[in-house]
Amino acid sequence: MVELALGRAAAADYVELSKPRIVTMVAITAGAGYLLAGPPGSQWATLVHTLAGAADVAGGACGLNQVAERDVDARMRRTASRPIPAGRVGAAEG
């Protein structure tokens, strides 16, 4: 049971690292741009792949930003509890 709890905590840290609210905003923006600028009768599969790619890139960028800012984040009260400054996720994993 302890291993399952640790697994859930680690998964929650990785989700927090990817900043899901920002990723959602990027995906909505990319989807709206695709639907507005795409040709009529656009392929839904292409839209799904575009959204998945945009979400992956945005999540990766959020993780890299937190790796780059880990020293500053560790000193600020507001950001000290983020996964990397708090030591729950290593910089190499981020």
Side-chain angles (χ1 to χ4, degrees), residues 33-63:
Y34 178 85
L35 292 173
L36 292 173
S42 297
Q43 299 275 337
W44 286 105
T46 305
L47 173 61
V48 170
H49 289 117
T50 300
L51 294 176
D56 285 346
V57 170
C62 289

Side-chain angles (χ1 to χ4, degrees), residues 14-15 17-28 30-31 47-65 93-94:
Y14 286 114
V15 169
L17 190 65
S18 69
K19 302 229 178 218
R21 289 175 44 195
I22 292 174
V23 170
T24 301
M25 181 183 64
V26 168
I28 289 170
L47 173 61
V48 170
H49 289 117
T50 300
L51 294 176
D56 285 346
V57 170
C62 289
L64 284 174
N65 178 270
E93 294 170 318

Side-chain angles (χ1 to χ4, degrees), residues 10 13-14 17 63-64 66-68 70 82-94:
D13 286 335
Y14 286 114
L17 190 65
L64 284 174
Q66 289 188 53
V67 169
R70 67 185 179 268
R82 289 181 177 170
I84 295 175
R88 296 188 311 270
V89 175
E93 294 170 318

